[in-house]
Amino acid sequence: MEEEEIVCGIVGYMGPGEASRILIEALKRLEYRGYDSAGIAIWNEGKVEVARKKGKVEELRKEIADNEKFQGNLGLAHTRWATHGVPSERNAHPHRADDVIVVHNGIIENYLELKDELRKAGQEFLSDTDTEVIPHLISSFMRKPMAFIDAIRQALTELQGSFAVGIINKKDRIMVAAKKESPLIIGVGDGEYFIASDAPAVLDRTNRFIFLEDGDMAVFKDNQLSLMDFQRKEIVRPVQTVSWTGVMAEKGGYKHFMVKEIFEQPRAISDTLIGRIREEQGEVGFEELELPDISKIRKIWMVACGTSYHACLIGKHIFEANLRIPVEIDIASEFRYRDPIMGADSMLILVSQSGETADTIAAMREGKKKGAYTLSVCNVLGSTLAREADGVVFTHAGPEIGVASTKAFTTQISVLYLLLLHMGQKLGIMDSDTVRDLISEIKKIPRKIQKILDDAHAVEELARKYMTCKDFLFIGRGVNFPTALEGALKLKEISYIHAEAYAAGEMKHGPIALIDENLPVVVVSPVDQTYQKTCSNIEEVLTRRGRVILFTDDASHDMRQKVENAITVPETIYELEPILTVVPLQLFAYYIANFLGTDVDQPRNLAKSVTVE
Ligand code: F6R
């Protein structure tokens, strides 16, 4: 028997509409959370039909299309991404025991003990999953007898681990949702209710949400909602309106979400600036953030995963250079296990698009335990990091659906830059004239990105030329070393081409051995204090017959003549260079992947929101 850990999307519906159509649509929008198998359960007057399919949601849609059995206006659905436990129909959700049907996101840690007990009591298991113990447990309590809701409550208190669950039973028109350490929200529509792992799933039908907390249970009966804890004590949670709309979560004429999101960056950054900058006064502030006295902060930590970690690397450069406070950077999965030395004089900044990345959440909790002030930079309202950190600043990128992160990254850099100005001012390091000047620089960024996007065809041609290469080396220095890392990550993730990134100065300490006429070297180097040094690295590559693709703001230098290709980006100040230089790298990766015909928005083996370790 295999232990199973899953990241996935769950969704549920109760209302007057056609549940199967609504749920399949919602599930497609949750596919970024997982796409190796999917399933649906539809309730109709004392009957429940279940379908499960290996593969994408589209396979499930075809399976139930035009099947009258799947008519009804109450149901649950699930899309799965397995990290342990093979993707297969029998492991796909929903799971069922007798009359009880469950979809689940999370990990039940004590499932082996529970399964053992339930088996001894005569229950028969049909899958390898941890999830299947949940319907069995509920069903065993119902046989005692116990009412459906009480049986659920009882079962939930016996589960160890994390869960977001949607539960229905064959007999009654009732849907129950509950959560502990896995994301789950309620969409409040017009005479209809939804449960979902994430808001984009149902944004086409509502933008009003209740963000459930750990230990919350929601009961939907007769199209009414009651909220309670696992002890059946009534609880109250506000209905919050999000500014995201359904259209924002659609492709809007683009071939892929990723390219749409790359092209949305000027708007995303403008939205991230709105309301935070007062240029005339030379002030930066955040409606949602009241910083404590930061004069006692001796060390800042920035911790995240993947692309968000690259934003932290940039953050370190710009914070240290301007605030003169040491900044330590860590990958969340490393930080959480290495007993970091921090205390009340530390500020821990957690950067996360989803706000649900398990390692980053664990890092935040570790920091809190050690007495640090925790501040999250998130894109998703109501997400765990947004709720649990001591402070939060939102990136206003809008929903990011493409698995490869793009607009989240550039808005994260924007927020870190604004935070730098805000803190600089609070600490008395930056006066309002300095802040005014720095505000005027970031205000120009959306227009400059637009200029890069207007010339996207040049990058597309470059992609056509290099699409058959098997390996790439990316190099950069200072704030553009993280840009090189990000460019290589984008290429790897969506085109499956091997790419490595190095700090340019490190080349001669090893990677230079790789260089020959088959290795394209992507050099990210605007004219700044290290430009001449990087030019020397370019010479080193050229003497070894390497092929150089240069991304620079130097329109005149003779280096452009020497390299195989050069792409020009607009000039900006050092702190903001990566927001511009990363854009052609995103496009480069996108166009190569598009030419190669890979599944750009849902690359193999990846999930957008990694809610397990
Ligand atoms: C890469 C990518 C991932 C995420 C990482 C963290 O394109 O999207 O590397 O950046 O999984 O996710 P968040 O930012 O949601 O914590």
Side-chain angles (χ1 to χ4, degrees):
M1 192 169 10
E2 285 172 287
E3 187 186 347
E4 188 196 38
E5 291 185 0
I6 49 173
V7 176
C8 50
I10 68 174
V11 63
Y13 175 77
M14 177 183 272
E18 187 57 49
S20 60
R21 191 182 51 76
I22 293 167
L23 289 173
I24 291 283
E25 284 303 309
L27 216 51
K28 282 191 169 175
R29 289 189 214 100
L30 281 184
E31 248 187 338
Y32 68 84
R33 299 177 69 85
Y35 32 83
D36 63 35
S37 51
I40 191 166
I42 300 292
W43 184 92
N44 194 354
E45 302 303 335
K47 284 202 300 284
V48 176
E49 287 299 328
V50 176
R52 301 185 296 178
K53 219 46 203 159
K54 188 171 171 214
K56 294 202 165 191
V57 174
E58 181 57 18
E59 300 305 314
L60 180 69
R61 189 196 64 75
K62 284 191 216 143
E63 175 86 0
I64 65 166
D66 306 323
N67 185 339
E68 281 179 12
K69 284 191 192 155
F70 286 88
Q71 276 177 5
N73 39 37
L74 165 65
L76 300 171
H78 185 278
T79 180
R80 175 174 183 264
W81 179 74
T83 56
H84 296 49
V86 284
S88 63
E89 203 165 303
R90 76 194 208 104
N91 284 341
H93 300 215
H95 288 287
R96 175 174 195 160
D98 309 313
D99 288 350
V100 182
I101 295 102
V102 171
V103 289
H104 165 227
N105 173 24
I107 306 164
I108 305 304
E109 284 161 5
N110 59 337
Y111 84 101
L112 285 175
E113 294 105 273
L114 292 170
K115 197 164 178 170
D116 212 33
E117 281 170 32
L118 289 159
R119 267 205 180 122
K120 281 185 193 141
Q123 304 277 95
E124 194 195 340
F125 283 78
L126 303 173
S127 78
D128 305 321
T129 66
D130 54 344
T131 300
E132 203 185 344
V133 298
I134 307 174
H136 277 290
L137 202 54
I138 298 169
S139 178
S140 71
F141 287 123
M142 285 173 79
R143 276 201 305 273
K144 279 192 182 311
M146 211 183 251
F148 182 48
I149 308 295
D150 290 325
I152 293 174
R153 285 193 314 108
Q154 189 67 41
L156 295 181
T157 52
E158 296 205 5
L159 300 179
Q160 286 165 17
S162 59
F163 54 82
V165 281
I167 309 167
I168 56 173
N169 81 63
K170 200 173 106 182
K171 291 203 188 82
D172 316 296
R173 193 169 186 275
I174 297 180
M175 174 168 73
V176 177
K179 103 164 209 89
K180 186 187 150 217
E181 292 170 22
S182 288
L184 193 62
I185 59 173
I186 295 173
V188 182
D190 198 4
E192 56 190 7
Y193 285 104
F194 308 86
I195 59 169
S197 301
D198 200 357
V202 296
L203 275 177
D204 61 327
R205 300 188 74 95
T206 185
N207 64 350
R208 298 171 66 232
F209 294 97
I210 296 169
F211 298 98
L212 294 179
E213 304 269 342
D214 286 348
D216 286 1
M217 187 162 128
V219 178
F220 305 84
K221 193 178 172 194
D222 304 327
N223 291 349
Q224 298 288 322
L225 165 67
S226 9
L227 292 174
M228 58 194 77
D229 63 16
F230 297 171
Q231 280 67 49
R232 217 168 176 162
K233 197 162 124 266
E234 195 187 323
I235 50 173
V236 181
R237 301 267 175 250
V239 179
Q240 299 188 43
T241 303
V242 304
S243 55
W244 295 3
T245 64
V247 175
M248 287 164 100
E250 282 164 15
K251 280 192 206 146
Y254 286 92
K255 185 170 174 191
H256 295 105
F257 278 112
M258 182 181 177
V259 68
K260 175 188 174 230
E261 288 160 3
I262 292 173
F263 276 80
E264 272 174 356
Q265 291 179 108
R267 189 213 37 81
I269 293 170
S270 298
D271 286 355
T272 300
L273 301 183
I274 286 171
R276 272 96 182 255
I277 52 179
R278 284 175 290 279
E279 194 172 4
E280 256 174 53
Q281 294 92 322
E283 274 173 22
V284 172
F286 305 91
E287 196 189 356
E288 65 272 44
L289 178 71
E290 188 64 59
L291 279 177
D293 177 10
I294 53 170
S295 63
K296 296 188 179 62
I297 298 292
R298 293 287 163 265
K299 195 172 193 179
I300 299 171
W301 295 69
M302 296 187 185
V303 174
C305 302
T307 289
S308 301
Y309 169 72
H310 297 156
C312 293
L313 291 173
I314 295 163
K316 174 184 170 76
H317 273 274
I318 69 175
F319 272 58
E320 277 189 346
N322 290 282
L323 298 183
R324 305 310 296 161
I325 299 177
V327 179
E328 191 148 347
I329 301 295
D330 216 338
I331 293 169
S333 55
E334 291 293 315
F335 176 91
R336 63 184 290 193
Y337 294 118
R338 74 178 175 92
D339 195 11
I341 304 163
M342 62 164 40
D345 60 354
S346 302
M347 177 176 199
L348 171 60
I349 301 178
L350 295 311
V351 180
S352 174
Q353 186 284 129
S354 61
E356 296 295 351
T357 300
D359 285 321
T360 315
I361 294 171
M364 177 205 51
R365 290 180 182 154
E366 182 68 18
K368 265 194 162 178
K369 229 172 24 198
K370 289 178 181 288
Y373 172 77
T374 57
L375 171 62
S376 62
V377 174
C378 290
N379 194 40
V380 179
L381 190 83
S383 59
T384 305
L385 277 167
R387 282 187 283 108
E388 282 191 25
D390 299 312
V392 61
V393 179
F394 289 103
T395 47
H396 293 160
E400 191 181 64
I401 314 282
V403 165
S405 188
T406 53
K407 62 177 179 170
F409 179 66
T410 46
T411 53
Q412 285 165 352
I413 305 171
S414 307
V415 161
L416 289 175
Y417 181 84
L418 293 183
L419 199 57
L420 163 70
L421 306 195
H422 183 57
M423 287 173 63
Q425 209 153 30
K426 277 201 154 242
L427 291 167
I429 295 171
M430 290 178 184
D431 60 21
S432 47
D433 287 341
T434 311
V435 172
R436 189 178 307 116
D437 289 347
L438 294 172
I439 287 176
S440 79
E441 291 298 336
I442 194 161
K443 271 187 73 184
K444 293 179 204 152
I445 291 293
R447 213 168 10 90
K448 291 181 180 178
I449 294 186
Q450 192 55 53
K451 196 161 177 318
I452 299 172
L453 296 172
D454 291 344
D455 293 337
H457 62 276
V459 184
E460 190 171 8
E461 285 317 304
L462 209 60
R464 200 189 300 280
K465 182 167 167 187
Y466 291 94
M467 63 182 268
T468 53
C469 294
K470 296 283 171 264
D471 301 278
F472 281 81
L473 187 63
F474 285 66
I475 59 170
R477 285 174 186 259
V479 278
N480 282 300
F481 168 43
T483 321
L485 285 166
E486 178 59 10
L489 179 64
K490 290 285 92 87
L491 190 62
K492 275 185 272 213
E493 301 188 273
I494 58 167
S495 71
Y496 317 141
I497 293 174
H498 171 240
E500 278 193 69
Y502 271 90
E506 272 291 288
M507 220 178 51
K508 56 186 165 301
H509 299 288
I512 199 162
L514 292 170
I515 290 168
D516 63 14
E517 64 278 14
N518 296 318
L519 184 78
V521 181
V522 175
V523 183
V524 192
S525 190
V527 183
D528 55 29
Q529 62 268 36
T530 55
Y531 183 57
Q532 285 313 324
K533 301 271 172 217
T534 311
C535 287
S536 306
N537 297 125
I538 294 176
E539 296 287 1
E540 287 160 16
V541 174
L542 294 177
T543 9
R544 286 157 185 85
R545 288 177 295 132
R547 307 168 67 183
V548 173
I549 313 166
L550 176 62
F551 292 84
T552 184
D553 56 4
D554 180 359
S556 61
H557 198 279
D558 64 352
M559 193 53 75
R560 298 179 68 88
Q561 312 308 318
K562 294 189 187 174
V563 299
E564 196 169 278
N565 286 98
I567 293 285
T568 309
V569 291
E571 287 175 21
T572 182
I573 54 168
Y574 180 67
E575 281 80 356
L576 292 171
E577 280 175 4
I579 304 195
L580 298 182
T581 49
V582 78
V583 177
L585 300 186
Q586 295 168 342
L587 288 169
F588 187 60
Y590 170 73
Y591 287 124
I592 288 188
N594 187 40
F595 288 141
L596 294 176
T598 60
D599 194 344
V600 170
D601 284 334
Q602 289 164 3
R604 67 187 184 200
N605 308 338
L606 292 173
K608 182 140 190 82
S609 190
V610 186
T611 53
V612 292
E613 247 192 85

